[in-house]
Coordinates of all heavy atoms in Angstrom, one line a residue:
G1384 N 149.9 240.1 106.4 CA 149.5 239.0 105.5 C 150.6 237.9 105.5 O 150.3 237.0 104.7
G1385 N 151.8 238.1 106.1 CA 152.8 237.3 106.0 C 152.5 236.0 106.8 O 151.9 236.1 108.0
E1386 N 153.0 234.8 106.5 CA 152.8 233.6 107.2 C 154.0 232.9 107.6 O 155.0 233.0 106.9 CB 151.9 232.6 106.4 CG 150.5 233.0 106.3 CD 149.6 231.9 105.7 OE1 150.2 230.9 105.1 OE2 148.4 232.0 105.7
S1387 N 154.0 232.3 108.8 CA 155.2 231.5 109.2 C 154.6 230.2 109.7 O 153.6 230.0 110.5 CB 155.8 232.3 110.3 OG 156.7 231.3 111.0
V1388 N 155.2 229.1 109.2 CA 155.0 227.7 109.8 C 155.8 227.5 111.0 O 157.0 227.2 110.7 CB 155.1 226.6 108.7 CG1 154.7 225.2 109.3 CG2 154.2 226.9 107.5
L1389 N 155.4 227.5 112.2 CA 156.2 227.4 113.3 C 156.6 225.9 113.6 O 157.7 225.6 114.0 CB 155.5 227.8 114.6 CG 155.3 229.3 114.7 CD1 154.8 229.6 116.2 CD2 156.6 230.0 114.6
T1390 N 155.8 224.9 113.2 CA 156.2 223.6 113.2 C 155.2 222.8 112.3 O 154.1 223.2 112.0 CB 156.0 223.0 114.7 OG1 156.7 221.7 114.7 CG2 154.6 222.9 115.2
R1391 N 155.7 221.7 111.8 CA 154.9 220.7 111.0 C 155.2 219.3 111.5 O 156.4 218.8 111.6 CB 155.3 220.9 109.6 CG 154.5 219.9 108.6 CD 155.1 220.1 107.1 NE 154.7 221.4 106.7 CZ 155.6 222.3 106.3 NH1 156.9 221.9 106.4 NH2 155.3 223.5 105.7
R1392 N 154.2 218.6 111.8 CA 154.4 217.2 112.2 C 153.6 216.3 111.3 O 152.5 216.5 110.8 CB 153.6 217.1 113.6 CG 154.4 218.1 114.7 CD 155.2 217.3 115.5 NE 155.7 218.3 116.5 CZ 155.2 218.6 117.6 NH1 154.3 217.7 118.2 NH2 155.8 219.5 118.5
T1393 N 154.2 215.1 111.1 CA 153.5 213.9 110.4 C 153.1 213.0 111.4 O 153.9 212.6 112.3 CB 154.5 213.3 109.5 OG1 155.0 214.2 108.5 CG2 153.9 212.2 108.7
L1394 N 151.8 212.7 111.4 CA 151.3 211.8 112.5 C 151.4 210.3 112.1 O 151.6 210.0 110.9 CB 149.8 212.0 112.6 CG 149.5 213.5 113.0 CD1 148.0 213.7 113.2 CD2 150.1 213.9 114.3
P1395 N 151.6 209.5 113.2 CA 151.7 208.0 112.9 C 150.5 207.3 112.5 O 149.4 207.6 112.9 CB 152.1 207.5 114.3 CG 151.4 208.5 115.3 CD 151.5 209.8 114.6
A1396 N 150.8 206.4 111.5 CA 149.8 205.5 111.2 C 149.8 204.3 112.2 O 150.4 203.2 112.0 CB 149.9 205.0 109.8
L1397 N 149.3 204.5 113.4 CA 149.4 203.6 114.6 C 149.1 202.1 114.4 O 149.6 201.3 114.9 CB 148.8 204.2 115.7 CG 149.4 205.5 116.2 CD1 148.7 206.0 117.5 CD2 151.0 205.5 116.6
N1398 N 148.1 201.9 113.4 CA 147.7 200.6 113.2 C 148.8 199.7 112.5 O 148.8 198.6 112.7 CB 146.5 200.6 112.3 CG 146.7 201.3 111.0 OD1 147.4 202.2 110.8 ND2 146.0 200.8 109.9
A1399 N 149.6 200.5 111.8 CA 150.8 199.7 111.2 C 151.8 199.1 112.2 O 152.5 198.3 111.8 CB 151.5 200.6 110.1
K1400 N 151.7 199.6 113.5 CA 152.7 199.0 114.5 C 152.5 197.6 114.9 O 153.3 197.1 115.5 CB 152.5 200.0 115.8 CG 153.2 201.4 115.6 CD 152.9 202.2 116.7 CE 153.6 201.7 118.1 NZ 153.3 202.4 119.2
Q1401 N 151.3 197.1 114.5 CA 150.9 195.7 114.8 C 151.4 194.7 113.9 O 151.4 193.4 114.0 CB 149.4 195.6 114.9 CG 148.8 196.6 115.9 CD 149.4 196.5 117.3 OE1 149.6 195.5 117.9 NE2 149.7 197.8 117.7
T1402 N 152.1 195.2 112.8 CA 152.7 194.3 111.8 C 153.4 193.1 112.4 O 153.2 191.9 111.9 CB 153.4 195.0 110.7 OG1 152.7 196.0 110.1 CG2 154.0 194.1 109.6
W1403 N 154.4 193.4 113.2 CA 155.3 192.3 113.7 C 155.0 191.9 115.0 O 155.7 191.1 115.6 CB 156.8 192.9 113.7 CG 157.1 193.3 112.3 CD1 157.2 194.5 111.9 CD2 157.6 192.4 111.2 NE1 157.7 194.5 110.5 CE2 157.9 193.2 110.2 CE3 157.7 191.0 111.2 CZ2 158.4 192.7 108.9 CZ3 158.3 190.5 109.9 CH2 158.5 191.3 108.8
S1404 N 153.9 192.3 115.7 CA 153.5 192.0 117.1 C 153.3 190.5 117.3 O 153.8 190.0 118.3 CB 152.3 192.8 117.5 OG 152.6 194.1 117.4
D1405 N 152.5 189.8 116.5 CA 152.3 188.4 116.7 C 153.5 187.5 116.7 O 153.7 186.7 117.5 CB 151.2 187.9 115.7 CG 151.6 188.2 114.2 OD1 152.6 188.9 114.0 OD2 151.0 187.6 113.4
L1406 N 154.5 187.9 115.8 CA 155.7 187.1 115.7 C 156.6 187.4 117.0 O 157.2 186.4 117.5 CB 156.4 187.5 114.4 CG 156.2 186.7 113.2 CD1 157.0 187.2 112.0 CD2 156.4 185.2 113.3
L1407 N 156.7 188.6 117.3 CA 157.3 188.9 118.6 C 156.8 188.2 119.8 O 157.5 187.9 120.7 CB 157.5 190.5 118.8 CG 158.4 190.9 119.9 CD1 159.9 190.5 119.7 CD2 158.4 192.4 120.1
K1408 N 155.5 188.3 119.9 CA 154.9 187.5 121.1 C 155.3 186.1 121.1 O 155.5 185.5 122.1 CB 153.4 187.8 120.9 CG 152.6 187.2 122.2 CD 151.1 187.4 122.0 CE 150.4 187.0 123.2 NZ 148.9 187.3 123.1
L1409 N 155.3 185.4 119.9 CA 155.7 184.0 119.9 C 157.0 183.7 120.2 O 157.5 182.9 120.9 CB 155.4 183.5 118.4 CG 153.9 183.3 118.1 CD1 153.7 182.9 116.7 CD2 153.2 182.3 119.0
R1410 N 158.0 184.7 119.7 CA 159.3 184.6 119.8 C 159.9 185.0 121.2 O 160.8 184.4 121.8 CB 160.1 185.4 118.7 CG 161.6 185.5 118.8 CD 162.1 186.5 117.8 NE 163.6 186.9 117.8 CZ 164.1 187.7 118.7 NH1 163.2 188.5 119.6 NH2 165.4 188.0 118.6
G1411 N 159.3 186.2 121.7 CA 159.8 186.7 122.9 C 160.8 187.8 122.8 O 161.5 187.8 121.7
L1412 N 160.9 188.7 123.6 CA 161.7 189.8 123.5 C 163.0 189.4 124.2 O 163.2 189.1 125.3 CB 161.1 191.0 124.1 CG 161.9 192.4 124.0 CD1 161.8 192.9 122.5 CD2 161.2 193.4 124.9
K1413 N 164.2 189.9 123.4 CA 165.6 189.6 124.0 C 166.2 190.9 124.4 O 165.8 192.0 123.9 CB 166.4 188.8 123.1 CG 165.8 187.5 122.7 CD 166.6 186.8 121.7 CE 166.1 185.4 121.3 NZ 166.9 184.7 120.3
R1414 N 167.2 190.8 125.2 CA 167.9 192.1 125.7 C 168.4 193.0 124.6 O 168.3 194.3 124.6 CB 169.0 191.7 126.6 CG 169.5 192.9 127.3 CD 170.8 192.5 128.2 NE 172.0 192.3 127.4 CZ 173.2 192.2 127.8 NH1 173.4 192.3 129.2 NH2 174.1 191.9 127.1
D1415 N 169.0 192.4 123.5 CA 169.6 193.2 122.5 C 168.6 193.5 121.3 O 169.2 193.8 120.2 CB 170.9 192.7 122.0 CG 170.7 191.3 121.3 OD1 169.6 190.7 121.4 OD2 171.8 190.8 120.7
D1416 N 167.4 193.3 121.4 CA 166.4 193.5 120.4 C 166.1 194.9 120.0 O 165.4 195.3 119.0 CB 165.1 192.7 120.6 CG 165.2 191.2 120.4 OD1 166.0 190.9 119.6 OD2 164.3 190.5 120.9
V1417 N 166.4 195.8 121.0 CA 165.9 197.2 120.8 C 167.0 198.0 120.0 O 168.1 198.0 120.1 CB 165.7 197.9 122.2 CG1 165.2 199.3 122.1 CG2 164.8 197.0 123.1
F1418 N 166.3 198.8 119.1 CA 167.0 199.8 118.2 C 166.6 201.2 118.6 O 165.4 201.5 118.8 CB 166.7 199.7 116.8 CG 167.5 200.4 115.8 CD1 168.7 200.1 115.3 CD2 167.0 201.7 115.4 CE1 169.5 200.9 114.5 CE2 167.7 202.5 114.6 CZ 169.0 202.1 114.2
Y1419 N 167.7 202.1 119.0 CA 167.3 203.3 119.6 C 167.5 204.5 118.5 O 168.5 204.4 117.7 CB 168.3 203.5 120.8 CG 167.9 202.8 121.9 CD1 168.6 201.6 122.2 CD2 167.0 203.4 122.9 CE1 168.2 200.9 123.5 CE2 166.7 202.6 124.0 CZ 167.3 201.5 124.3 OH 167.1 200.8 125.5
F1420 N 166.8 205.4 118.6 CA 166.9 206.8 118.1 C 167.3 207.7 119.2 O 166.4 208.0 120.0 CB 165.8 207.4 117.3 CG 165.7 206.7 115.9 CD1 164.7 205.6 115.8 CD2 166.4 207.0 114.7 CE1 164.6 204.9 114.6 CE2 166.4 206.4 113.6 CZ 165.3 205.3 113.5
I1421 N 168.6 208.1 119.3 CA 169.1 208.9 120.4 C 169.2 210.4 120.0 O 170.2 210.6 119.4 CB 170.3 208.3 121.0 CG1 170.2 206.8 121.2 CG2 170.7 209.0 122.3 CD1 171.4 206.0 121.5
M1422 N 168.4 211.2 120.4 CA 168.4 212.6 119.9 C 169.6 213.3 120.6 O 169.6 213.5 121.9 CB 167.0 213.3 120.3 CG 165.8 212.6 119.6 SD 165.9 212.3 117.9 CE 164.8 211.1 117.7
A1423 N 170.4 213.9 119.8 CA 171.6 214.7 120.3 C 171.1 216.1 120.7 O 170.6 216.8 119.9 CB 172.7 214.7 119.2
T1424 N 171.4 216.5 121.9 CA 171.1 217.8 122.4 C 172.0 218.2 123.6 O 172.9 217.4 124.0 CB 169.6 217.7 122.8 OG1 169.0 219.1 123.0 CG2 169.3 216.9 124.0
S1425 N 171.7 219.4 124.1 CA 172.3 219.8 125.3 C 171.4 220.9 126.0 O 170.3 221.2 125.5 CB 173.7 220.3 125.0 OG 173.5 221.6 124.2
N1426 N 172.0 221.4 127.1 CA 171.3 222.5 127.9 C 169.8 222.1 128.2 O 168.9 222.7 128.0 CB 171.2 223.7 126.9 CG 171.1 225.0 127.8 OD1 170.9 225.1 129.0 ND2 171.2 226.2 127.2
L1427 N 169.8 221.0 129.0 CA 168.6 220.4 129.4 C 167.8 221.4 130.3 O 166.6 221.4 130.1 CB 168.8 219.1 130.1 CG 169.5 218.0 129.4 CD1 169.6 216.7 130.2 CD2 168.6 217.6 128.2
A1428 N 168.4 222.1 131.1 CA 167.7 223.1 132.0 C 167.0 224.1 131.3 O 166.1 224.6 131.8 CB 168.9 223.7 133.0
S1429 N 167.5 224.5 130.0 CA 166.7 225.4 129.3 C 165.8 224.9 128.2 O 165.5 225.6 127.3 CB 167.8 226.5 128.7 OG 168.5 227.1 129.6
G1430 N 165.6 223.6 128.3 CA 164.6 223.0 127.4 C 165.3 222.4 126.2 O 164.6 222.1 125.1
G1431 N 166.5 222.0 126.3 CA 167.3 221.4 125.1 C 166.7 220.2 124.6 O 166.9 219.8 123.5
A1432 N 166.0 219.4 125.5 CA 165.4 218.1 125.1 C 163.9 218.2 125.2 O 163.2 217.1 125.2 CB 165.9 217.0 126.0
S1433 N 163.4 219.4 125.2 CA 161.9 219.5 125.3 C 161.1 218.8 124.3 O 161.6 218.8 122.9 CB 161.5 221.0 125.2 OG 160.2 221.3 125.3
D1434 N 160.2 218.0 124.6 CA 159.2 217.3 123.7 C 159.8 215.9 123.2 O 159.0 215.2 122.6 CB 158.8 218.1 122.5 CG 157.9 219.3 122.9 OD1 157.3 219.3 123.9 OD2 158.0 220.3 122.1
V1435 N 161.1 215.6 123.5 CA 161.6 214.3 123.0 C 160.7 213.2 123.7 O 160.4 212.3 123.0 CB 163.0 214.2 123.4 CG1 163.5 212.8 123.0 CG2 163.9 215.1 122.6
D1436 N 160.3 213.4 124.9 CA 159.7 212.3 125.5 C 158.2 212.2 125.2 O 157.6 211.3 125.5 CB 159.9 212.6 127.1 CG 159.3 213.9 127.5 OD1 159.4 214.8 126.7 OD2 158.8 214.0 128.7
T1437 N 157.7 213.3 124.6 CA 156.2 213.3 124.2 C 156.0 213.0 122.6 O 155.1 212.3 122.3 CB 155.6 214.6 124.7 OG1 156.2 215.7 124.1 CG2 155.6 214.7 126.0
I1438 N 156.8 213.6 121.9 CA 156.5 213.6 120.4 C 156.7 212.2 119.9 O 156.0 211.7 119.0 CB 157.5 214.5 119.7 CG1 157.0 216.0 119.8 CG2 157.5 214.2 118.2 CD1 158.0 217.0 119.3
F1439 N 157.6 211.4 120.4 CA 157.9 210.1 119.8 C 157.2 209.0 120.6 O 157.3 207.8 120.2 CB 159.3 209.8 119.8 CG 160.0 210.7 118.8 CD1 160.7 211.9 119.1 CD2 160.0 210.2 117.4 CE1 161.3 212.6 118.1 CE2 160.8 211.0 116.5 CZ 161.4 212.2 116.8
R1440 N 156.5 209.2 121.7 CA 155.9 208.2 122.4 C 154.8 207.4 121.6 O 154.8 206.2 121.7 CB 155.1 208.7 123.7 CG 156.1 209.3 124.8 CD 156.9 208.2 125.4 NE 157.6 208.7 126.6 CZ 158.8 208.3 126.9 NH1 159.5 207.4 126.3 NH2 159.3 208.9 128.1
P1441 N 154.1 208.0 120.8 CA 153.1 207.3 120.0 C 153.8 206.2 119.0 O 153.2 205.4 118.5 CB 152.3 208.3 119.2 CG 152.5 209.5 120.0 CD 153.9 209.5 120.5
Y1442 N 155.1 206.5 118.6 CA 155.7 205.6 117.7 C 156.6 204.6 118.3 O 157.0 203.6 117.6 CB 156.7 206.6 117.0 CG 156.1 207.8 116.2 CD1 155.9 208.9 116.8 CD2 155.7 207.7 114.9 CE1 155.3 210.0 116.3 CE2 155.2 208.7 114.2 CZ 154.8 209.8 114.9 OH 154.2 211.0 114.3
E1443 N 156.8 204.6 119.5 CA 157.7 203.6 120.3 C 157.0 202.2 120.3 O 155.8 202.1 120.2 CB 158.1 204.2 121.6 CG 159.0 205.3 121.6 CD 159.6 205.4 123.1 OE1 158.9 205.3 124.1 OE2 160.8 205.5 123.1
S1444 N 157.8 201.2 120.3 CA 157.3 199.9 120.5 C 158.4 199.1 121.3 O 159.3 199.7 121.9 CB 157.2 199.2 119.1 OG 158.5 199.0 118.5
D1445 N 158.1 197.7 121.4 CA 159.0 197.0 122.3 C 160.5 197.0 121.8 O 161.5 196.7 122.5 CB 158.5 195.6 122.4 CG 157.4 195.6 123.4 OD1 157.2 196.5 124.3 OD2 156.6 194.5 123.3
T1446 N 160.6 197.2 120.5 CA 161.9 197.1 119.8 C 162.5 198.3 119.2 O 163.6 198.4 118.7 CB 161.9 196.0 118.7 OG1 161.0 196.4 117.6 CG2 161.4 194.6 119.2
V1447 N 161.7 199.4 119.2 CA 162.3 200.6 118.6 C 161.8 201.7 119.7 O 160.7 202.0 119.9 CB 161.7 201.1 117.3 CG1 162.3 202.3 116.7 CG2 161.8 199.9 116.3
K1448 N 162.9 202.4 120.2 CA 162.7 203.4 121.3 C 163.5 204.6 121.0 O 164.4 204.6 120.1 CB 162.9 202.8 122.6 CG 162.1 201.7 123.0 CD 162.3 201.2 124.4 CE 161.4 200.0 124.7 NZ 160.1 200.3 124.7
V1449 N 163.2 205.6 121.8 CA 163.9 206.9 121.7 C 164.6 207.4 122.9 O 164.2 206.9 124.1 CB 162.9 208.1 121.4 CG1 163.5 209.4 121.4 CG2 162.2 207.8 120.0
G1450 N 165.7 208.0 122.8 CA 166.5 208.5 124.0 C 167.1 209.7 123.6 O 166.8 210.4 122.6
I1451 N 168.0 210.2 124.6 CA 168.8 211.5 124.4 C 170.3 211.2 124.6 O 170.6 210.3 125.3 CB 168.3 212.6 125.3 CG1 168.3 212.2 126.8 CG2 166.9 213.0 125.0 CD1 168.0 213.1 127.8
R1452 N 171.1 212.0 123.9 CA 172.5 212.0 124.1 C 173.0 213.3 124.5 O 172.7 214.4 123.9 CB 173.1 211.6 122.9 CG 174.7 211.5 122.9 CD 175.3 210.7 121.7 NE 175.0 211.5 120.4 CZ 175.7 212.4 119.9 NH1 176.9 212.8 120.5 NH2 175.3 213.0 118.7
I1453 N 173.8 213.3 125.7 CA 174.1 214.6 126.3 C 175.6 214.6 126.5 O 176.2 213.5 126.9 CB 173.5 214.8 127.6 CG1 171.9 214.6 127.5 CG2 173.7 216.2 128.2 CD1 171.2 215.6 126.6
P1454 N 176.4 215.7 126.3 CA 177.8 215.8 126.5 C 178.2 216.0 128.0 O 177.5 216.7 128.8 CB 178.3 217.0 125.8 CG 177.1 217.8 125.7 CD 175.9 217.0 125.6
I1455 N 179.1 215.1 128.6 CA 179.5 215.3 129.9 C 181.1 215.6 129.7 O 181.8 214.8 129.3 CB 179.5 214.0 130.7 CG1 177.9 213.6 130.7 CG2 180.0 214.2 132.1 CD1 177.1 214.6 131.4
L1456 N 181.4 216.9 130.0 CA 182.8 217.4 129.8 C 183.5 217.1 131.0 O 183.8 218.0 132.0 CB 182.7 218.9 129.4 CG 181.7 219.3 128.3 CD1 181.9 220.8 128.1 CD2 182.1 218.5 127.1
Y1457 N 184.2 215.8 131.1 CA 184.6 215.4 132.4 C 186.0 216.1 132.8 O 186.5 216.0 134.1 CB 184.8 213.9 132.4 CG 185.8 213.4 131.3 CD1 187.1 213.2 131.6 CD2 185.3 212.9 130.0 CE1 188.0 212.8 130.5 CE2 186.2 212.3 129.1 CZ 187.4 212.4 129.4 OH 188.4 211.8 128.4
L1458 N 186.7 216.8 131.9 CA 187.8 217.5 132.2 C 187.5 219.0 132.4 O 188.3 219.7 133.0 CB 188.9 217.5 131.2 CG 189.5 216.0 131.0 CD1 190.6 216.0 129.9 CD2 190.2 215.5 132.3
R1459 N 186.3 219.4 132.1 CA 186.0 220.9 132.2 C 185.0 221.1 133.4 O 185.1 222.1 134.1 CB 185.2 221.2 130.9 CG 185.0 222.7 130.7 CD 184.6 222.9 129.3 NE 184.4 224.4 129.0 CZ 185.3 225.3 128.7 NH1 186.6 224.9 128.6 NH2 184.9 226.5 128.4
T1460 N 184.1 220.2 133.7 CA 183.2 220.3 134.9 C 183.9 219.7 136.1 O 183.6 218.6 136.4 CB 181.8 219.7 134.5 OG1 182.0 218.2 134.1 CG2 181.2 220.4 133.3
T1461 N 184.7 220.5 136.8 CA 185.4 220.1 137.9 C 185.3 221.0 139.1 O 184.5 222.0 139.0 CB 186.9 220.0 137.5 OG1 187.5 221.3 137.5 CG2 187.2 219.5 136.1
K1462 N 185.8 220.5 140.2 CA 185.7 221.4 141.4 C 186.8 222.6 141.3 O 187.0 223.3 142.4 CB 185.9 220.5 142.6 CG 184.7 219.5 142.8 CD 184.9 218.8 144.1 CE 183.7 217.7 144.1 NZ 182.5 218.3 144.2
G1463 N 187.6 222.6 140.3 CA 188.5 223.7 140.1 C 189.9 223.4 140.6 O 190.3 222.4 141.2
R1464 N 190.7 224.5 140.4 CA 192.2 224.4 140.8 C 192.4 224.1 142.1 O 193.4 223.3 142.6 CB 192.8 225.7 140.3 CG 194.4 225.7 140.3 CD 195.0 227.0 140.2 NE 194.4 227.8 139.1 CZ 194.9 227.8 137.9 NH1 195.9 227.1 137.6 NH2 194.2 228.6 137.0
A1465 N 191.6 224.6 143.1 CA 191.8 224.6 144.5 C 191.6 223.0 145.0 O 192.2 222.6 145.9 CB 190.8 225.4 145.2
S1466 N 190.8 222.2 144.1 CA 190.6 220.9 144.5 C 191.2 220.0 143.5 O 190.7 218.7 143.3 CB 189.0 220.7 144.6 OG 188.4 221.4 145.5
D1467 N 192.3 220.4 142.9 CA 193.1 219.6 141.9 C 192.2 219.1 140.7 O 192.4 218.0 140.3 CB 193.8 218.4 142.6 CG 194.8 217.9 141.7 OD1 195.4 218.5 140.9 OD2 195.1 216.6 141.9
Y1468 N 191.1 219.8 140.4 CA 190.3 219.7 139.2 C 189.7 218.3 139.3 O 189.4 217.6 138.3 CB 191.2 219.6 137.9 CG 191.8 221.0 137.7 CD1 193.1 221.3 138.1 CD2 191.1 222.0 137.2 CE1 193.8 222.5 137.8 CE2 191.6 223.3 136.9 CZ 193.0 223.5 137.3 OH 193.5 224.8 137.0
T1469 N 189.1 217.9 140.5 CA 188.3 216.7 140.6 C 187.0 217.0 139.9 O 186.5 217.9 140.1 CB 188.1 216.5 142.2 OG1 189.4 216.4 142.8 CG2 187.2 215.2 142.3
F1470 N 186.6 215.8 139.3 CA 185.2 216.0 138.5 C 184.1 216.3 139.6 O 184.0 215.8 140.5 CB 185.0 214.6 137.9 CG 183.7 214.5 137.2 CD1 183.5 215.1 136.1 CD2 182.6 213.9 137.7 CE1 182.4 215.2 135.3 CE2 181.4 213.7 137.0 CZ 181.2 214.4 135.8
D1471 N 183.3 217.2 138.9 CA 182.1 217.7 139.7 C 180.9 217.3 138.9 O 180.5 217.9 137.9 CB 182.2 219.2 140.0 CG 181.2 219.8 140.8 OD1 180.2 219.0 141.3 OD2 181.1 220.9 141.0
A1472 N 180.1 216.3 139.5 CA 178.9 215.9 138.8 C 177.8 216.9 139.0 O 176.8 216.8 138.2 CB 178.4 214.6 139.5
D1473 N 177.9 217.9 139.8 CA 177.0 219.0 140.0 C 177.5 220.3 139.6 O 177.1 221.4 140.1 CB 176.5 219.1 141.5 CG 175.8 217.8 142.0 OD1 174.7 217.6 141.5 OD2 176.3 217.1 142.9
F1474 N 178.3 220.3 138.6 CA 179.0 221.6 138.2 C 177.9 222.6 137.7 O 177.0 222.2 137.0 CB 179.7 221.2 137.0 CG 180.7 222.5 136.5 CD1 181.9 222.7 137.1 CD2 180.3 223.3 135.5 CE1 182.6 223.8 136.8 CE2 181.0 224.3 135.0 CZ 182.2 224.7 135.7

Side-chain angles (χ1 to χ4, degrees):
E1386 287 189 349
S1387 167
V1388 180
L1389 288 189
T1390 190
R1391 179 183 292 116
R1392 305 255 180 96
T1393 301
L1394 300 181
L1397 295 179
N1398 60 326
K1400 287 176 60 177
Q1401 305 307 314
T1402 299
W1403 300 101
S1404 297
D1405 53 351
L1406 272 177
L1407 185 63
K1408 185 176 181 180
L1409 290 171
R1410 172 188 175 275
L1412 186 68
K1413 301 178 182 179
R1414 191 183 71 167
D1415 64 348
D1416 280 342
V1417 180
F1418 185 86
Y1419 287 97
F1420 285 99
I1421 308 168
M1422 306 304 163
T1424 189
S1425 69
N1426 204 349
L1427 298 181
S1429 296
S1433 178
D1434 293 337
V1435 172
D1436 58 331
T1437 58
I1438 288 177
F1439 288 97
R1440 291 298 189 211
Y1442 302 84
E1443 287 192 314
S1444 65
D1445 286 340
T1446 64
V1447 187
K1448 297 185 180 297
V1449 173
I1451 54 174
R1452 179 168 59 91
I1453 310 295
I1455 304 300
L1456 310 181
Y1457 62 87
L1458 295 180
R1459 192 169 180 84
T1460 53
T1461 77
K1462 295 183 183 296
R1464 192 191 309 271
S1466 299
D1467 194 29
Y1468 299 99
T1469 302
F1470 176 74
D1471 185 0
D1473 292 298
F1474 188 84

